[in-house]
Amino acid sequence: MKKLTWLLAALLLNSTVYSASKPNIIIIMSDDSGYTDLGCYGGEIDTPNLDKMASNGLRFKNFYNNGRCSPTRASLMTGRDSAHAGFAAGTLGGWNREMKQPSYRARMPYTLPTIAELMKQSGYTTMMTGKWHLGGSLLKLNPGSQAWWKQTHPGWELTEEEIEADFNALPAQRGFDKFFGLIEGETHLFMTPEDKHEYLEGNQHTKLKYEQTYKMHCYYDDEQRYPYTANHGKTSKAFYATDGMTDRAIEMIEEALEDKSKPFFMYMAYRAPHLPIQAPQELVDKYLSRYDDLAKVEIDRVKGLAKQGLWDSNNKYRKHFSACRKAPEKYHLRAAIHAAMIEKIDQNVGKIIASLKKTGAFDNTLILYFSDNGAASHLGQLMNTPYFGCKALLYEGGTKTHCIAQWPKVIKKGSITESTGWVGDLLPTFLDIAGATYPKEFRGVATSPLDGRSILPILEGKTMSPPEYLFANDKGQQSVIFKGRWKLLIEPGWYVLTNKKPGISYELYDLQEDPAERINLANKQPEIVDQLRKVCAQWQQDNGILDYGELLKTRPNFSK
């Protein structure tokens, strides 16, 4: 009897280990980084701190985002397909992109709980630094901006309810105790005291710290998108986004750790290596020669990925570069700046880990590192190789990311999983870890079931079957992965090109045999195409996905 009592007590203790000693949680998300950018994923960029995270933790072979900035962030924040959060079909945060249709509202509903709100309810101190890009504004506190709102919302009525809804979409009103960062998606990474900036601390415009001296390389290519910055080539004290966001995150973490009764949740959303590409000149110089032979870089990345145990060397892939193919003008420079920005992220990940060790919080902290989508089109698919495609395309190169998880108390060192993860899985996973459940009602409105699932078993070293269906949608494109194997793409590619072709294009790939999506099996497997086509149609209806051509009548610039 005593033995049985002891056994029951042990089982009970094991089942509540996470709730009794809740771990701190840190999400670190880069912006437009490729699958093989990291050394531990076969890349040539120096990432010693992330490589050490990998050797001390777990790497995913098959972790998915939503292929574009805001949709990925929407699913991360809510555990739902991004359309339910107002970011369907590649919708991005920002006044000039908002639509009246709920799925395309470009602003999260106040009645949809966020990961920060739920972690806060679970006893966590909640903090964020970096890029929000999920809508909202300070219109409530800055009435002078009403003219700009009206200019970007022709035919809309600006009501008190609209102003309040915009305010309630900001991080400080969506569960974060502390926030330092940007609401919009794009700005220069280097800021000097002479530059205007849009960084907020909470709901207030804040002062930046200009403590470090940089020789600034600010790549300039498109005057229409990124006005020229006079900082290019200058050496002076400046704020560099990757460094500054990290320094503020460390301050927040160390302040949170002073309250030993509460764990913390930190979300770090870096702006790098997103356009405009800008980095310290010495790091850019370091990488220029590494991209002299792009065909070799591509081959070496695939070999490196195979050496890391993350790719079968027998698999074929689509080669982007060859000895006879000339790289676009300035491509080598763009690649070098991209690499420099990735190394800068790695340096700052090292600073975070050093702080956790200094404060004694390291062993009880779960850290996840991944990218919001694949590398962008200004680099083609090189940074995503061996996968095909890039950011905003629904091929694997656009929607699959490297992902590292480190949790010394739980995760086995140096492990690799083939189980599928998705960014929308993180909210239910963290609730599972915190011993919490998803609410049936939030702010007086009934909630719907989560689209993500807890992947805590994967972190614990177990294998999970893939989800039955994993969907993505972006500006006229649709994809679904069925049980981790069959992937159907409907109208894949850039809308400005695909809408000029007659009919509807279907591509079907067997990811088990052809992970690089080389051989289209749509004509050979019509039954599977038809099955998945019908599933996609139902999913689009359930998510409020509309015909993209009709949407463009409201916002023509969405075709980009």
Side-chain angles (χ1 to χ4, degrees):
M1 183 67 182
K2 287 183 179 180
K3 185 175 181 181
L4 179 60
T5 302
W6 178 88
L7 179 60
L8 289 172
L11 288 171
L12 180 62
L13 177 63
N14 185 59
S15 68
T16 59
V17 62
Y18 301 128
S19 58
S21 180
K22 296 177 183 177
N24 307 306
I25 298 173
I26 301 176
I27 296 174
I28 305 176
M29 187 167 70
S30 62
D31 196 351
D32 294 4
S33 180
Y35 188 87
T36 47
D37 273 346
L38 313 182
C40 54
Y41 276 77
E44 72 290 336
I45 303 172
D46 294 332
T47 55
N49 295 295
L50 289 165
D51 296 349
K52 190 171 183 179
M53 261 189 70
S55 65
N56 289 330
L58 167 72
R59 281 172 290 173
F60 282 79
K61 290 179 69 174
N62 301 300
F63 194 89
Y64 288 88
N65 47 51
N66 288 339
R68 198 185 283 263
C69 296
S70 296
T72 289
R73 286 164 169 74
S75 291
L76 170 62
M77 282 293 105
T78 65
R80 302 297 312 279
D81 286 321
S82 62
H84 295 296
F87 291 90
T91 302
L92 301 178
W95 278 353
N96 63 322
R97 299 178 183 275
E98 292 182 339
M99 298 187 185
K100 292 183 179 181
Q101 297 90 339
S103 296
Y104 300 83
R105 189 60 185 81
R107 187 178 68 197
M108 283 196 300
Y110 198 47
T111 53
L112 182 63
T114 70
I115 195 170
E117 289 166 323
L118 297 179
M119 296 307 287
K120 189 172 183 176
Q121 290 179 3
S122 300
Y124 277 72
T125 298
T126 55
M127 306 167 289
M128 176 184 172
T129 64
K131 173 178 171 178
W132 179 239
H133 212 198
L134 287 172
S137 76
L138 292 173
L139 192 62
K140 178 179 180 179
L141 306 182
N142 301 305
S145 57
Q146 290 187 11
W148 173 238
W149 186 95
K150 292 175 182 178
Q151 184 179 338
T152 57
H153 295 77
W156 292 35
E157 181 183 0
L158 182 57
T159 63
E160 289 301 318
E161 291 78 11
E162 176 66 24
I163 292 172
E164 190 67 23
D166 239 32
F167 184 69
N168 285 336
L170 296 175
Q173 283 69 254
R174 297 314 314 261
F176 287 101
D177 295 317
K178 294 181 180 180
F179 167 74
F180 169 77
L182 297 161
I183 301 306
E184 297 292 340
E186 300 176 359
T187 186
H188 293 295
L189 277 81
F190 283 112
M191 294 288 177
T192 67
E194 293 75 33
D195 297 320
K196 292 182 179 180
H197 71 82
E198 299 176 350
Y199 282 87
L200 300 181
E201 183 75 43
N203 292 320
Q204 301 296 324
H205 190 268
T206 191
K207 292 183 179 180
L208 301 180
K209 295 180 179 179
Y210 308 98
E211 298 175 342
Q212 192 167 336
T213 299
Y214 301 91
K215 184 175 182 181
M216 297 173 275
H217 190 112
C218 303
Y219 181 84
Y220 174 69
D221 191 34
D222 187 344
E223 186 174 0
Q224 296 301 316
R225 186 171 185 184
Y226 298 108
Y228 174 75
T229 169
N231 290 329
H232 178 62
K234 279 187 179 179
T235 299
S236 69
K237 287 187 179 296
F239 172 91
Y240 184 64
T242 306
D243 291 336
M245 291 173 181
T246 305
D247 292 344
R248 185 68 187 104
I250 290 172
E251 291 174 352
M252 290 181 183
I253 289 171
E254 293 185 352
E255 290 167 4
L257 287 170
E258 293 175 4
D259 183 354
K260 301 191 183 301
S261 67
K262 296 177 68 176
F264 69 79
F265 169 75
M266 166 60 77
Y267 169 38
M268 298 176 63
Y270 284 124
R271 270 273 297 104
H274 194 290
L275 290 168
I277 47 176
Q278 301 175 352
Q281 184 65 56
E282 66 273 14
L283 281 179
V284 177
D285 293 340
K286 169 183 173 179
Y287 283 102
L288 279 170
S289 62
R290 296 200 189 182
Y291 298 100
D292 285 343
D293 188 341
L294 296 171
K296 185 176 186 302
V297 171
E298 185 173 40
I299 291 170
D300 287 348
R301 280 197 172 209
V302 179
K303 287 181 177 178
L305 190 65
K307 186 177 180 180
Q308 293 288 336
L310 297 163
W311 179 259
D312 185 339
S313 58
N314 293 317
N315 286 331
K316 295 182 179 181
Y317 61 97
R318 310 190 201 194
K319 293 183 180 179
H320 192 63
F321 290 102
S322 64
C324 60
R325 180 173 182 176
K326 187 177 180 181
E329 185 181 2
K330 297 184 179 179
Y331 186 96
H332 304 81
L333 174 59
R334 293 200 296 267
I337 302 170
H338 175 94
M341 296 171 81
I342 295 294
E343 181 170 335
K344 253 301 176 187
I345 290 176
D346 181 82
Q347 291 175 7
N348 281 279
V349 170
K351 286 161 60 177
I352 290 287
I353 291 174
S355 173
L356 293 173
K357 290 182 176 179
K358 181 187 73 173
T359 55
F362 177 74
D363 286 343
N364 196 38
T365 300
L366 165 62
I367 307 175
L368 286 118
Y369 178 90
F370 54 91
S371 179
D372 64 342
N373 41 248
S377 58
H378 63 277
L379 291 170
Q381 70 182 55
L382 175 63
M383 305 303 177
N384 305 317
T385 195
Y387 296 109
F388 178 70
C390 60
K391 170 186 176 177
L393 298 181
L394 300 184
Y395 294 100
E396 296 287 276
T399 60
K400 181 177 279 192
T401 174
H402 48 249
C403 180
I404 306 170
Q406 178 183 268
W407 186 4
K409 283 190 173 183
V410 174
I411 293 175
K412 181 182 177 182
K413 289 185 176 182
S415 51
I416 293 173
T417 181
E418 296 203 17
S419 296
T420 299
W422 172 55
V423 66
D425 293 336
L426 297 185
L427 184 149
T429 301
F430 297 162
L431 290 181
D432 202 359
I433 290 171
T437 56
Y438 192 69
K440 295 181 179 179
E441 184 180 283
F442 189 74
R443 293 195 171 107
V445 176
T447 61
S448 298
L450 291 168
D451 296 306
R453 60 180 185 163
S454 172
I455 55 172
L456 177 57
I458 297 175
L459 302 183
E460 295 173 324
K462 301 180 181 69
T463 298
M464 290 183 70
S465 298
E468 184 174 20
Y469 299 107
L470 186 60
F471 296 96
N473 185 283
D474 193 292
K475 298 191 176 183
Q477 307 169 81
Q478 175 68 51
S479 79
V480 60
I481 300 175
F482 176 54
K483 294 185 176 180
R485 179 176 182 181
W486 294 104
K487 180 174 180 178
L488 178 68
L489 290 160
I490 304 174
E491 289 289 271
W494 303 106
Y495 183 79
V496 293
L497 301 177
T498 59
N499 75 325
K500 296 176 182 178
K501 299 178 181 178
I504 298 176
S505 172
Y506 295 97
E507 295 181 15
L508 179 71
Y509 298 100
D510 181 350
L511 297 181
Q512 287 185 7
E513 301 296 326
D514 180 26
E517 299 169 300
R518 292 177 62 252
I519 303 172
N520 179 9
L521 299 174
N523 291 333
K524 294 183 178 180
Q525 299 284 354
E527 298 86 359
I528 296 178
V529 171
D530 190 53
Q531 172 195 342
L532 298 183
R533 178 187 59 79
K534 291 176 181 177
V535 168
C536 284
Q538 184 62 54
W539 180 83
Q540 289 177 347
Q541 181 178 330
D542 295 343
N543 281 262
I545 305 293
L546 306 177
D547 179 83
Y548 195 67
E550 292 300 311
L551 283 178
L552 291 182
K553 296 176 182 178
T554 304
R555 294 284 193 183
N557 63 336
F558 264 53
S559 63
K560 297 180 181 178

